Amino acid sequence: MGRLRQKGKAGAAKAYVTRSSAVKRLQCSLADFRRLCILKGIFPREPRSRKRANKGSSAPTTFYYAKDIAFLAHEPVLKKLREHKAFAKKLSRALGRGEWSDAKSLEENKPVYRLDHIIKERYPSFIDALRDIDDALCMISLFANLPSNPRISPSLIENCSRLSAEWQLYIMRSRSLRKAFFSIKGVYYQVEVMDQTVTWLVPYQFSQNIPTDVDVRVMLTFLELYQTLLGFVFFKLYTDAGLVYPPPLDMKKYDGGAGVGAFGLQEIVQIGEPARPSLKVVDVDGRKISTKDVRQTIKSMTTDGSGVEGADVIMSSLEEVPQDNDEDFVPHVSASDTLPASSLPTLKSLEALPQSSAPSLFAPYTFFLSRETSRPIFEFLVRSFGGRIGWESSSGDGSPFTFSDDSITHVIIDRPVVERTDETSEERQRRLRRKYVQPQWVVDCINAGKILLEEPYAQGKTLPPHLSPFGEYEGAYDPTVGIGAQEVAEEESESESEDNIEVDDAEEAPEEKSDKRALEAVAAAAAGDESALRAAELAAEVAGVDPSAFEKEVQKSRKKMKKTNEADDESDMNKMMMSNRQKKLYEKMKYGQQKKALERSTLEAKKKGIQKEKRKQGKT
């Protein structure tokens, strides 16, 4: 006889735990439970049968895996949270009794937990941590621009600003920036660090107000985890680049608003020389030979190419040794595959390819920022591509040159053109030597990977469309591609036919127009049913509709129904061979494709409408 299964002791009822049961099992508050779940990366699960998982009850609740809750029970952070709860009780009792010395000692020995072990658990390798810093960078960039209030301390905002500046400093040093985009939300940046693509969002520096309906405690818990993660990642990146971490900060420049310029980069200097190995003497054939003699013998063999006296092997010189060419790939003909083998790239062929000049795009140029442009954004963009940049003293300290410097080639300005009557000849010559461009020119040059013409981006001109560089999927809408001549002719013919239809509709009576449209709808619905089609024909004859027009409408409806039926039959046949999991994935994929196609068709329709209006205005 098999083992009896009790209700609620096996299956989904055992595998899942409700949130209230988890809080009771861990003996902690709901806020501490949320903090633990965020730090450990545990999130709610959806069982297949909520009624079975909840032991017969259908009440709405949140479920977790029972193994995840058991995993949380052994977390050291949970122990520290319990200690902090006891510490808070003791501190409040001491303050209530007026025992100030005991309260001071309790405050000095306050329990503090660390998240180092959690970072090591969640990210076993450095590449795993590097892949997951997108959200962390977005979070610290957000908090770096928030005002301080009772819920957010000034030290927290200062730490986020420091982490953001350290990341930008490393990107500028390594020339890792690849793309940028100005959006409504902020500025999107994309970098490539250790062959990993990292994209994050930096909000504009406007005055921010924290909404009252936002739970800041949840965001602060995420921020606590992200700060620890970024500390590990930045230390590894800086030390691998041979730089000191954290970079030294000049408080005088920092207080003056220098921003990233207040941080300096220092290379790691080895203190003292490495200890030399002790000399070891060995007795060989009655002679005493030390390790120093062995090193000198090896050095003489590699330089002279001849052996020493008493040597058994004569070493040839390095120049006589042929270079190995086993790095080249030799194609082998396959017996089954008749196609010619393709030549594979080798290390020599990759080194022979022309190197990209994108990291040093702005190296030959010197920029100056006008006071209405955002200095942190363009300082990061220009310095990431090797350019020099200066700014007005009102934008902060640390500018390497002033506006009167003759080396300035471009002025980034975002104000309308104003005629100056008091301009001197020297100022006029200086203005003619420089290029005055709007801020979009810098980002468009970065995304294009080359220096664009400054004329379309000149001061006061209408800018070309600022395109997002992240729409790289196949079939994405490209605004730069114009409409072909054939499509233009089709649009003109369609517009003419629409105009004629509008004129005919205006001449018709309202009753006839409504009857005609109703009969067209009936014809479309009755294309697959003979009885309904006969009724529609009689109704059209009574209304006085042209039989040929009615027949054409029926044929169009039949063709549309045939195409849709064929597509539906094919998709149904494909779905019959799929499992439930594959069907869900297929439906999600089709939904995404339809959504992208709808977005593209909407944008193309808008573009066609704008061009049609322009052609009409040109004709008039």
Side-chain angles (χ1 to χ4, degrees):
M1 183 177 177
R3 186 177 178 181
L4 296 177
R5 297 178 61 184
Q6 297 180 359
K7 184 178 181 181
K9 300 291 185 180
K14 185 180 180 180
Y16 294 94
V17 178
T18 61
R19 188 177 65 179
S20 58
S21 301
V23 171
K24 290 179 182 178
R25 186 177 299 182
L26 297 177
Q27 297 180 3
C28 63
S29 62
L30 182 59
D32 291 342
F33 176 73
R34 286 175 176 171
R35 177 179 293 183
L36 282 173
C37 290
I38 292 172
L39 295 178
K40 298 290 287 185
I42 294 173
F43 48 90
R45 305 286 182 165
E46 183 65 26
R48 290 185 177 180
S49 175
R50 298 179 65 88
K51 192 172 183 180
R52 291 181 181 178
N54 207 7
K55 299 179 182 179
S57 175
S58 59
T61 184
T62 305
F63 294 96
Y64 293 87
Y65 279 149
K67 291 184 178 180
D68 291 343
I69 303 304
F71 178 59
L72 285 180
H74 303 281
E75 175 57 38
V77 176
L78 179 60
K79 181 181 178 182
K80 288 293 182 181
L81 291 176
R82 291 170 180 167
E83 293 178 0
H84 189 276
K85 187 177 181 180
F87 155 77
K89 289 182 180 180
K90 293 178 182 179
L91 183 62
S92 62
R93 185 184 301 115
L95 292 175
R97 293 176 179 178
E99 300 172 352
W100 310 115
S101 59
D102 293 346
K104 184 178 180 181
S105 62
L106 285 172
E107 183 67 27
E108 290 175 354
N109 299 321
K110 181 174 65 173
V112 179
Y113 62 86
R114 299 177 63 87
L115 304 179
D116 302 352
H117 64 285
I118 294 181
I119 299 298
K120 294 177 182 178
E121 288 176 2
R122 296 187 63 174
Y123 308 104
S125 65
F126 176 69
I127 298 298
D128 295 332
L130 194 61
R131 288 195 193 105
D132 203 33
I133 65 171
D134 303 65
D135 294 337
L137 293 172
C138 293
M139 185 69 77
I140 65 166
S141 301
L142 173 64
F143 274 86
N145 292 298
L146 289 179
S148 61
N149 57 20
R151 294 186 291 177
I152 303 175
S153 62
S155 60
L156 185 65
I157 297 174
E158 184 179 355
N159 189 36
C160 291
S161 301
R162 179 184 60 83
L163 289 172
S164 180
E166 289 173 358
W167 172 251
Q168 291 185 1
L169 203 64
Y170 175 79
I171 297 302
M172 289 188 291
R173 171 64 181 261
S174 60
R175 306 280 179 88
S176 303
L177 186 62
R178 296 294 177 265
K179 295 177 183 178
F181 178 64
F182 292 148
S183 71
I184 300 175
K185 299 179 182 178
V187 185
Y188 284 91
Y189 298 108
Q190 187 176 91
V191 298
E192 188 175 344
V193 179
M194 297 183 68
D195 296 332
Q196 301 298 323
T197 302
V198 180
T199 308
W200 78 100
L201 173 65
V202 177
Y204 296 115
Q205 290 183 326
F206 298 139
S207 59
Q208 304 289 340
N209 294 321
I210 302 175
T212 57
D213 57 345
V214 174
D215 193 353
V216 182
R217 294 179 301 173
V218 176
M219 299 180 68
L220 290 177
T221 306
F222 276 105
L223 184 64
E224 185 181 8
L225 176 67
Y226 290 155
Q227 285 178 327
T228 310
L229 171 63
L230 292 179
F232 275 89
V233 173
F234 292 170
F235 177 79
K236 174 69 173 175
L237 292 175
Y238 271 74
T239 51
D240 286 352
L243 302 173
V244 176
Y245 184 82
L249 175 62
D250 189 348
M251 291 303 299
K252 185 177 180 181
K253 290 184 178 179
Y254 185 77
D255 295 337
V260 182
F263 293 85
L265 292 176
Q266 289 184 359
E267 295 184 357
I268 299 175
V269 180
Q270 297 290 342
I271 302 176
E273 295 181 358
R276 294 184 177 181
S278 59
L279 294 177
K280 185 177 180 181
V281 180
V282 182
D283 190 1
V284 179
D285 295 335
R287 292 185 304 170
K288 293 184 178 181
I289 300 176
S290 64
T291 54
K292 183 178 180 181
D293 298 333
V294 174
R295 286 198 299 270
Q296 289 179 353
T297 304
I298 294 174
K299 185 177 180 181
S300 62
M301 285 191 300
T302 55
T303 53
D304 300 336
S306 59
V308 295
E309 185 178 357
D312 296 334
V313 181
I314 300 177
M315 300 291 294
S316 60
S317 63
L318 295 177
E319 297 178 357
E320 296 175 359
V321 178
Q323 296 182 355
D324 293 335
N325 292 327
D326 55 354
E327 181 267 331
D328 296 330
F329 294 102
V330 180
H332 295 276
V333 181
S334 175
S336 58
D337 191 3
T338 58
L339 296 175
S342 59
S343 60
L344 298 176
T346 62
L347 181 61
K348 294 180 181 179
S349 62
L350 293 176
E351 289 178 351
L353 292 175
Q355 299 296 326
S356 175
S357 61
S360 58
L361 186 66
F362 297 139
Y365 307 106
T366 303
F367 296 83
F368 192 86
L369 288 174
S370 58
R371 62 178 180 269
E372 71 275 358
T373 55
S374 178
R375 182 182 64 81
I377 295 175
F378 291 97
E379 182 183 5
F380 175 57
L381 292 174
V382 173
R383 289 181 59 185
S384 297
F385 288 88
R388 296 177 66 242
I389 190 167
W391 52 85
E392 298 280 355
S393 58
S394 59
S395 300
D397 296 341
S399 178
F401 50 86
T402 60
F403 184 73
S404 59
D405 195 336
D406 294 334
S407 63
I408 297 174
T409 58
H410 293 77
V411 177
I412 302 176
I413 190 167
D414 196 14
R415 65 179 78 164
V417 180
V418 178
E419 294 291 338
R420 295 185 57 183
T421 57
D422 57 345
E423 188 178 20
T424 62
S425 60
E426 183 180 357
E427 292 176 349
R428 185 174 181 276
Q429 291 296 328
R430 185 192 304 160
R431 179 173 56 82
L432 294 176
R433 286 196 304 267
R434 299 172 179 175
K435 299 288 186 180
Y436 287 77
V437 294
Q438 300 187 46
Q440 184 182 326
W441 178 80
V442 178
V443 181
D444 286 352
C445 289
I446 292 172
N447 296 334
K450 60 182 180 180
I451 300 297
L452 302 176
L453 294 176
E454 295 89 350
E455 184 63 27
Y457 300 88
Q459 180 186 4
K461 286 196 172 182
T462 302
L463 292 170
H466 182 49
L467 308 179
S468 173
F470 304 113
E472 297 178 348
Y473 63 89
E474 185 179 358
Y477 172 69
D478 189 1
T480 59
V481 178
I483 300 177
Q486 183 178 358
E487 295 181 0
V488 171
E490 290 178 358
E491 288 179 7
E492 291 179 352
S493 61
E494 288 178 1
S495 61
E496 291 177 359
S497 60
E498 288 176 359
D499 294 340
N500 296 332
I501 291 172
E502 290 177 358
V503 171
D504 295 339
D505 291 343
E507 293 177 355
E508 291 179 358
E511 296 82 0
E512 295 178 358
K513 192 194 310 184
S514 60
D515 292 342
K516 183 177 179 181
R517 291 181 179 177
L519 288 173
E520 289 176 357
V522 171
D529 191 356
E530 294 296 335
S531 59
L533 180 61
R534 180 59 182 167
E537 287 178 355
L538 294 175
E541 186 177 355
V542 171
V545 179
D546 189 7
S548 60
F550 181 81
E551 188 66 27
K552 289 180 181 179
E553 194 69 30
V554 172
Q555 294 295 332
K556 288 181 183 179
S557 301
R558 284 177 175 173
K559 288 181 180 179
K560 289 180 182 179
M561 290 184 65
K562 185 178 181 181
K563 289 181 180 180
T564 54
N565 291 334
E566 289 178 355
D568 293 341
D569 293 340
E570 185 177 358
S571 62
D572 291 341
M573 290 294 293
N574 293 333
K575 287 182 181 180
M576 288 174 63
M577 306 300 294
M578 297 181 184
S579 61
N580 291 334
R581 183 184 181 88
Q582 291 174 344
K583 286 179 183 178
K584 291 180 181 179
L585 292 175
Y586 178 74
E587 293 295 336
K588 289 182 180 179
M589 181 186 68
K590 295 296 291 183
Y591 175 76
Q593 291 177 354
Q594 292 174 2
K595 187 176 180 181
K596 291 179 180 178
L598 180 61
E599 291 177 355
R600 177 176 178 176
S601 60
T602 303
L603 293 173
E604 288 179 350
K606 288 182 179 179
K607 183 177 181 180
K608 290 179 180 178
I610 293 171
Q611 292 185 355
K612 189 187 296 184
E613 292 294 332
K614 289 182 179 179
R615 287 196 299 270
K616 288 182 179 179
Q617 292 177 1
K619 291 179 180 179
T620 56

